[in-house]
Amino acid sequence: TTCSSWIERISSLVQPKQKTFTVSVEGNIGSGKTSFLRYIQANHDNITEVTEEPTDRWRNIQGHNALALMYEDPARWSLTFQTYVQLTMLQSHMAPQKKPIKMMERSIHSAKQCFVENLHNNGTMPDIEYIVLSEWYDYICAHDKVDVDIIVYLKTRPEVVLERIKKRHRNEEQTIPLEYLEQLHKLHEDWLGHQPNVLTLDANCDLIEMKTEIDKHIKTILCGLV
Ligand code: DCP
């Protein structure tokens, strides 16, 4: 899709007098969301504020590493971990916005639509835990301002992100198998493939090429404000 037709589509999706926007950046583990956001922040700090994913909080809940526990024993700890992710994501959505565009790394929606769905689908999370989390999610969506105007989807091949995960060597993630990344990839595709407000970028390339790709689509990414 060309840039100008994108702007038209976005204009038709947002409220006529809308002055503030929320953009979420989504994609598999290791797809480059953090680098994407750092690049935007470095170049467009005047109109964007970036809420990076609170991964550090997940790794230190009053001294407990929930991310590590989840990977060590997913059947025991996934509910605990995902409940905390849902809380921290809700806090990011609700944080007061000072600049025109709030850029979020992930959202409460990918936590539910991709990660929680996956844990349930692959038999790790029992029905009752899935139902409790889902009822919380539905209630939050109905009552709080967690809407996203535009989603930037960093689309990657599972093999590519597996290599990046190995390279960056985050301790907790070293046991992630390709199969897990394939399941998450499919859920991202199912969720984002048919939504009108999604800009999909090929994120298999290196950072230099990625920056060119971002520059090419910058008007769309920044909701027509540049
Ligand atoms: N995670 C999870 N459930 C969620 C969100 C994240 O299990 N609802 C896990 C997957 C990763 C870690 O948390 O092990 C961080 O994942 P992200 O993909 O959100 O962040 P990355 O740092 O991998 O993103 P990128 O490399 O794209 O910057």
Side-chain angles (χ1 to χ4, degrees), residues 25-36 53 55 58 67 70-71 81-82 85-86 89 105-108 110-112 114-116 119 154 161 164-165 168 170 172-173 176 180 184 188:
V25 182
E26 307 282 2
N28 213 337
I29 303 169
S31 56
K33 297 177 292 293
T34 304
S35 310
F36 176 98
E53 198 172 41
T55 323
W58 309 342
L67 183 67
M70 184 201 56
Y71 281 121
F81 179 74
Q82 295 299 341
V85 170
Q86 189 153 267
M89 283 298 172
E105 177 165 5
R106 291 202 181 282
S107 59
I108 198 167
S110 51
K112 171 64 168 64
C114 301
F115 287 91
V116 173
L119 289 163
L154 302 182
V161 290
R164 289 183 191 160
I165 291 167
R168 82 172 169 204
R170 205 182 260 159
E172 295 88 345
E173 296 176 345
I176 297 178
Y180 189 68
L184 284 173
H188 278 85

